[in-house]
Structure formats: structure tokens, C-alpha cells
Amino acid sequence: GDGSFLSQRCGGLDEISPLYFTRLEADRACTFSFGVYWHRLLNKKIEKPVLPLPATTGAWHDEYHGGNVVKTEKRTASWVWRAGELPTGICVPTHSSSLAEWRENLSGSIRGYGLENMQEYITHKDHSFEGGFVTSGVTASCSADFAAEDQHKEYLAYKDVAAAALPDDESMVVIQYARAAMRCYLTHLKGIYLNVPNDVYNGCTRDYYTVNGKTTLPGVVDCAETIDLQSPWVNVDDELTLMKIYGEDALTLRRPGKRQIGIKRYLPEDAGGSGDVGMLYCDEICAPFEEGRLERARGSVLLDNAFVVKAGIGHEATAQWAENNPAQAIAFEGDAIVRGVVVRGADGVRYALIANFDDCLQNAVFTLPGCTESMSLKIGGKCAVLLSEKNGWKAL
């Protein structure tokens, strides 16, 4: 309305950094001017490109950052431990980049009362194989810059996450476990934490399918809303499915009422930090979802869940898969913090993701669903393995 390119989506940025807002504005102007220049220089009509352009495919791994990527024409799956807003994972259809948002995605979000809230990297382990990867790691959820004098940086919780991109060109399985590091007060607790952008790149509307039918929701609304999905699974736009495997909390769709994805979440609230004044609006699918003044005792379990994300699958196929091939939790003997799930992939093969969240080597004893004999697996501390039924329940 005021003649600029970004007045609506980045108006908040203009208030906290005129320099950066002007730079982004200039980027748009330069792009158009160079297009006009090359059009004149070539002195011919520039043909409209054929969209979508062919996707670059392949796999990549970076040991230092714990970066894992596998990309095909159907699915893009990735997980990175050392990142700007760590850790972060995605599993989306390759042709639907508007579904991708990285900020703490699929890793859960724990926030305290400080103006600065972040996760600190502690450790990770990962392994790549043909068509996928498995990774696990630990982060600390921290809060700092409190209003009270002499209230210093607090380590609120230690969080373990294990994730595996299955070699079925469709699925990613994630297990989350977090404990309070101290008696703490939180402002929000969001498990799973699948960010679903609902902004200009998708026409500001999303269709959500559950066992109860279809709901169409507009993006960029100015009123916060919390929706109990009352369903073990949710499908977005016949493109992306999330299904809970275990965890006591129901799936919740949180709509923040404002664009909350910004460039620096650790800025003061009135400058786009803890208040999440951002440039991208995201719906958030969570379990659990709690906001307000939350008090937790030291050592209490904050997150204990598992879920699967499936890319390039519609809601009808999701309902059939959930009914005929339900994912299941694995029961373990003993007191060690070992978690595991069994999921049937799109290739018809069953896979078991098993994670040892204890510090030391464990001899995990368990019985897989559908099997009569118990199994024993030695697994290192803070480590995860992916077993394949196709290999006779051997590790990939």
C-alpha cells in the first residue's frame, strides 16, 4: 500500500533496523532492474522458464555440524545439530518448499522467562546409508537476560533427540526426550514442534485433514488460536503427514496470531526477539502444548514422545496407512532410558529406531511387535540405531 516491496511482511523489521529493511528493499529493486537490463542487452524476448525446475538430488553429510541431507525428486529430508537455531530437521516433498521452516523444527521448544532463549549444542552422533540417515544428539535449553538483578543464565533442560530418514523415500521418524535440569519456570513447552508456514508462499491458506475431516485455515491472522485436533495424525494440503506414535498429549495446532519467524529471536521483545515479531507466519503442530507460567521440578520429564513425518502423501493414503500399518512403541526391560518405535515404511519394510538416552553403554532387551522372541542389542550412550526387518533386523 505504501509503494514498497516488503511493507506488509517485513514492516516490523523497518522499526528495529532501517538499515536492514532498506537493504532487503534494495535487493528487490536491483533484481528487477537487472532483469530489465539483461532483457535490453540481449535485445530479444526472454522465454518464460518451465516450472518447476528439475530438482538437484543426492545426499550429503557434514560431520562437524552434524548435517545430514538426503534429497530425491519426491522427498527432501535433513537434520542439522550445529545451526543458527539448533537443532533442526525437515521432511517435506521436494516440490513443496513452502512447507519448509527450520527454526527448532521437529526438535521441540522449551522457553523460560529470559529475553534470550536458545538451545546450546552438546554432542551428536550420526550415520548415513543408501537413501537415508540416522542421527542422535543432546542440546541444552537455556534462558538468559532476565529482568531480575543477578538472575543469570539458566540451563532449563537437557534434551535428547533421535531421528532417522528411512530409505523409503517418504518417511522420517523422530524420538524426543527432555528432563528439567533445575527447578524452573517456563513460558512455553512445545513437543514435536512441526512448523507449517502459512504465508505468501502458499497463498496464505492451508488445508488440514484429520480423522474428523478437513479444515481450511487462513494464514497471517491477528488473533492467537489453539485447536485440539482430536486425532492421532494430521495431513497438510494432501502433501505432508505427521502421526504421533506415543506420548500422552494430544496433537495441538497452535496459531500464534502474528508472524513469529524472524531473523534474530534473541533480540528484546519490543525489537522482535522473545515476542517473535517476524517476517514469516507459521502454524505449529505440537504435543504437548503448554503456555503460561509453568513450574517444573528438577529431574521431571518435560518431553517423552515419538512421531513419524511422511512427505508426498495425501490424507486418504494417510488414513489407510494409519489403519493398516500402525507405528508402535517398543517396550524395554530394565530402568535405562531407552526408547524405540517400529514403523512400516512406504516400501513395505518394517524399521525399528532405537535410542539410548543414558550416558553409558546399555544392553537393551526388548521384544519387537509381531515377534515372539526377545532381542538383545548393545547400544552406546547417547546413540541411536536403525534396524531393518529386510536385513533380518540388522542395523543399517
Side-chain angles (χ1 to χ4, degrees), residues 267-291:
L267 290 170
E269 183 169 354
D270 59 358
S274 298
D276 287 333
V277 178
M279 282 70 75
L280 183 68
Y281 184 96
C282 271
D283 296 330
E284 301 168 352
I285 301 175
C286 308
F289 170 78
E290 294 184 71
E291 276 188 339

Side-chain angles (χ1 to χ4, degrees), residues 179-225:
R179 275 186 168 178
M182 58 180 293
R183 182 188 176 203
C184 57
Y185 291 91
L186 309 177
T187 59
H188 82 215
L189 177 63
K190 300 177 182 180
I192 297 181
Y193 202 54
L194 171 63
N195 290 283
V196 182
N198 195 355
D199 211 308
V200 295
Y201 296 111
N202 59 281
C204 292
T205 184
R206 290 289 189 194
D207 292 330
Y208 291 97
Y209 300 87
T210 67
V211 295
N212 303 306
K214 173 183 174 182
T215 302
T216 300
L217 296 175
V220 202
V221 294
D222 57 5
C223 182
E225 182 181 14

Side-chain angles (χ1 to χ4, degrees), residues 276-337:
D276 287 333
V277 178
M279 282 70 75
L280 183 68
Y281 184 96
C282 271
D283 296 330
E284 301 168 352
I285 301 175
C286 308
F289 170 78
E290 294 184 71
E291 276 188 339
R293 187 164 134 180
L294 312 174
E295 181 182 357
R296 294 295 186 269
R298 178 181 179 181
S300 60
V301 176
L302 304 181
L303 300 177
D304 193 357
N305 60 54
F307 55 94
V308 58
V309 180
K310 299 175 78 66
I313 179 174
H315 72 282
E316 293 181 351
T318 296
Q320 294 174 1
W321 175 78
E323 180 179 357
N324 300 323
N325 301 292
Q328 297 174 281
I330 300 173
F332 294 88
E333 300 178 10
D335 299 326
I337 308 174

Side-chain angles (χ1 to χ4, degrees), residues 60-71:
W60 172 79
H61 172 247
D62 172 12
E63 183 176 354
Y64 174 79
H65 292 93
N68 304 271
V69 179
V70 57
K71 183 177 181 181

